[in-house]
């Protein structure tokens, strides 16, 4: 079979405070994160947002030690996976490719080439597929394959999503059960699943299966857990003026508090590693909202990190992929379904979802133009004497 490699894909995060602004610039430069009608506007907008948000983000990272633990944890997951594959008789080299910070996906691919890998399993560390996470990384990889003819020599297979994997579900259920049993009345605890959100237009217009996969995953975890607890699913981490998947985590917490919910256990369902969204957003910001809303005990299920059963689930995914027919990037990025990776969009008039999104985008462009003119001190409004 030749030399075999596994490429683990993840978001990445700033290792130090000085990395925050360039990390944010890379993030917002991705058209799958902010979709604009004019590609030339992407980098100026990314510069503006990253410059404006850098200080706030740095303060958030200070609260969790001055940087993201994501690289360290992902490296540990890669090492654990490689060692576990060896126990199964699979001599496989495992690589880490981050989308927005070191080690970048491009760096990982360069190492894979240098190591003479002949067959590659591409495994995103996102259980559920979204065009803004796995899809963005797949699009980047497809571009690399297109630009470098030598990569065509590497046979590759892609695992688009794996939220239904039984060992993954059992690992999640085990962690939830462990935390529930720390409460005085475990069966009365409200289980609160918090997933990273995406703009609703990704689902309604681009065919992103993320919302459906998150809902299915939540149901499968509750079935595996087999406890009588009530549960809620909500979405966190929204940015920008457009509508995102609802209910929003902060709104759902306030609603539960208003209903006199006393005990709450938060499950970060779309994350497999501790990072800023779990350690700062959930543990600090949402805890404060919950307590202000009247919730007495607020606890969180830890991320999977290197949980043995989770590593076993990744091992099973890799072994199964190697024993199955290859599934190439082109099949995942342009499937027979309606999923669109950064599709060309069209104008629509009237009270339609697409029209509302375009109105929001045009408003954003106008606001950005105003900010740039205020910063530069020159422009049409200054020329007309309006500023």
């Amino acid at each position: 079979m030749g030399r075999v490699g596994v490429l683990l894909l993840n978001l990445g995060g700033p290792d130090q405070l000085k990395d925050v602004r360039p990390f944010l610039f890379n993030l917002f430069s991705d058209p799958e994160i902010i979709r604009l009608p004019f590609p030339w506007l992407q980098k100026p907008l990314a510069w503006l947002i990253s410059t404006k948000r850098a200080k706030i983000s740095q303060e958030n990272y200070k609260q969790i030690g001055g940087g993201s633990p994501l690289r360290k944890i992902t490296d540990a997951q890669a090492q654990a996976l490689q060692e576990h594959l060896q126990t199964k008789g699979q001599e496989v080299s495992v690589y880490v490719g981050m989308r927005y910070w070191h080690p970048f996906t491009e760096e990982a691919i360069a190492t894979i080439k240098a190591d003479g890998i002949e067959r590659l399993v591409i495994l995103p560390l996102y259980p559920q597929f979204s065009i803004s996470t796995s899809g963005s990384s797949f699009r980047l990889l497809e571009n690399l394959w297109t630009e470098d003819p030598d990569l065509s020599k590497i046979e590759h297979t892609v695992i688009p999503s794996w939220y239904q994997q039984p060992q993954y579900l059992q690992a999640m259920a085990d962690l939830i059960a462990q935390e529930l049993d720390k409460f005085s009345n475990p069966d009365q605890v409200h289980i609160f699943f918090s997933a990273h959100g995406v703009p609703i237009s990704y689902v309604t217009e681009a065919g992103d299966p993320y919302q459906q996969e998150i809902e299915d995953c939540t149901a499968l975890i509750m079935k595996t857990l087999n406890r009588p607890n009530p549960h809620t699913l909500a979405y966190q981490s929204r940015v920008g003026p457009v509508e995102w998947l609802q209910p929003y985590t902060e709104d759902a917490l306030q609603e539960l508090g208003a209903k006199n919910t006393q005990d709450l256990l938060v499950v970060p369902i779309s994350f497999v590693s501790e990072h800023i969204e779990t350690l700062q957003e959930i543990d600090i910001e949402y805890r404060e909202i919950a307590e202000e809303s009247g919730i007495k005990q607020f606890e969180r299920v830890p991320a999977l990190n290197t949980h043995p059963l989770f590593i076993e689930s990744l091992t099973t995914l890799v072994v199964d992929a190697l024993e199955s027919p290859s599934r190439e990037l082109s099949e995942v990025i342009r499937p027979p379904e309606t999923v669109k990776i950064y599709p060309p969009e069209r104008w629509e008039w009237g009270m339609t979802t697409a029209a509302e999104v375009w109105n929001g985008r045009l408003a954003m462009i106008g606001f950005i133009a105003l900010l740039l003119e205020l910063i530069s001190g020159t422009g049409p409004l200054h020329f007309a004497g309006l500023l």
Side-chain angles (χ1 to χ4, degrees), residues 1-5 112 116-120 153-156:
M1 189 165 52
R3 296 201 64 185
V4 179
I112 287 167
I117 296 299
E118 298 173 60
R119 190 173 185 195
L120 183 67
K153 301 173 185 176
I154 302 176
E155 180 185 352
H156 65 273

Side-chain angles (χ1 to χ4, degrees), residues 88-377:
K88 302 290 184 180
Q90 300 281 351
E91 290 299 323
V92 176
S93 298
V94 181
Y95 304 85
V96 171
M98 301 294 192
R99 185 65 180 89
Y100 306 115
W101 201 244
H102 301 284
F104 289 112
T105 304
E106 296 92 330
E107 297 171 333
I109 291 297
T111 304
I112 287 167
K113 279 182 59 180
D115 288 350
I117 296 299
E118 298 173 60
R119 190 173 185 195
L120 183 67
V121 176
I122 299 171
L123 174 56
L125 288 175
Y126 312 107
Q128 307 85 14
F129 177 91
S130 173
I131 55 180
S132 61
T133 53
S134 304
S136 176
S137 290
F138 294 161
R139 176 175 53 81
L140 171 62
L141 286 169
E142 186 188 43
N143 290 340
L144 293 176
W145 248 259
T146 301
E147 295 166 0
D148 187 348
D150 288 341
L151 290 177
S152 63
K153 301 173 185 176
I154 302 176
E155 180 185 352
H156 65 273
T157 187
V158 181
I159 302 173
S161 68
W162 41 271
Y163 68 92
Q164 298 171 315
Q165 212 285 331
Q167 293 154 316
Y168 158 72
L169 294 170
Q170 191 61 59
M172 290 293 292
D174 287 354
L175 285 176
I176 294 171
Q178 290 173 21
E179 296 302 315
L180 285 175
D181 291 339
K182 296 177 182 179
F183 287 82
S184 56
N185 295 301
D187 290 349
Q188 302 302 313
V189 177
H190 196 105
I191 300 174
F192 189 97
F193 292 90
S194 189
H196 199 293
V198 299
I200 195 168
S201 62
Y202 284 27
V203 176
T204 58
E205 297 179 25
D208 195 338
Y210 178 72
Q211 182 180 19
Q212 186 62 56
E213 292 194 2
I214 283 286
E215 292 175 358
D216 291 347
C217 184
T218 300
L220 288 169
I221 291 173
M222 288 302 298
K223 181 178 179 181
T224 306
L225 178 64
N226 195 26
R227 297 278 192 109
N229 302 75
H231 71 278
T232 293
L233 169 63
Y235 298 90
Q236 67 181 86
S237 308
R238 61 190 170 104
V239 293
V242 298
E243 183 180 0
W244 284 48
L245 292 178
Q246 297 186 33
Y248 301 135
T249 292
E250 58 269 33
D251 295 342
L253 289 172
Q254 291 169 347
E255 184 177 337
L256 288 172
K259 292 179 179 178
N260 202 33
T261 299
Q262 298 294 301
D263 298 328
L264 191 79
L265 179 61
V266 180
V267 182
I269 185 173
S270 52
F271 312 110
V272 299
S273 309
E274 300 290 3
H275 62 305
I276 190 74
E277 277 88 355
T278 59
L279 298 172
Q280 195 277 331
E281 192 170 12
I282 293 178
D283 289 355
I284 298 175
E285 293 185 21
Y286 291 143
R287 178 186 298 276
E288 184 177 337
I289 292 173
E291 291 173 349
E292 290 176 351
S293 301
I295 294 168
K296 301 300 182 184
Q297 187 171 358
F298 177 100
E299 305 294 342
R300 177 175 67 83
V301 172
L304 289 163
N305 294 336
T306 55
H307 187 290
L309 201 51
F310 171 55
I311 299 302
E312 180 71 36
S313 72
L314 296 181
T315 302
T316 301
L317 287 167
V318 171
V319 172
D320 288 349
L322 290 171
E323 295 176 351
S324 303
S326 295
R327 188 171 189 183
E328 297 187 354
L329 285 162
S330 58
E331 298 176 58
V332 176
I333 292 179
R334 295 178 180 79
E337 299 85 17
T338 58
V339 178
K340 301 175 184 176
I341 303 296
Y342 194 39
E345 294 167 302
R346 57 190 176 87
W347 288 92
E348 288 190 32
W349 300 95
M351 298 301 291
T352 66
T353 302
E356 291 176 7
V357 170
W358 272 100
N359 290 338
R361 288 172 179 163
L362 290 174
M364 182 190 295
I365 292 169
F367 179 65
I368 293 166
L370 175 61
L371 285 178
L372 291 174
E373 184 160 341
L374 289 171
I375 293 169
S376 66

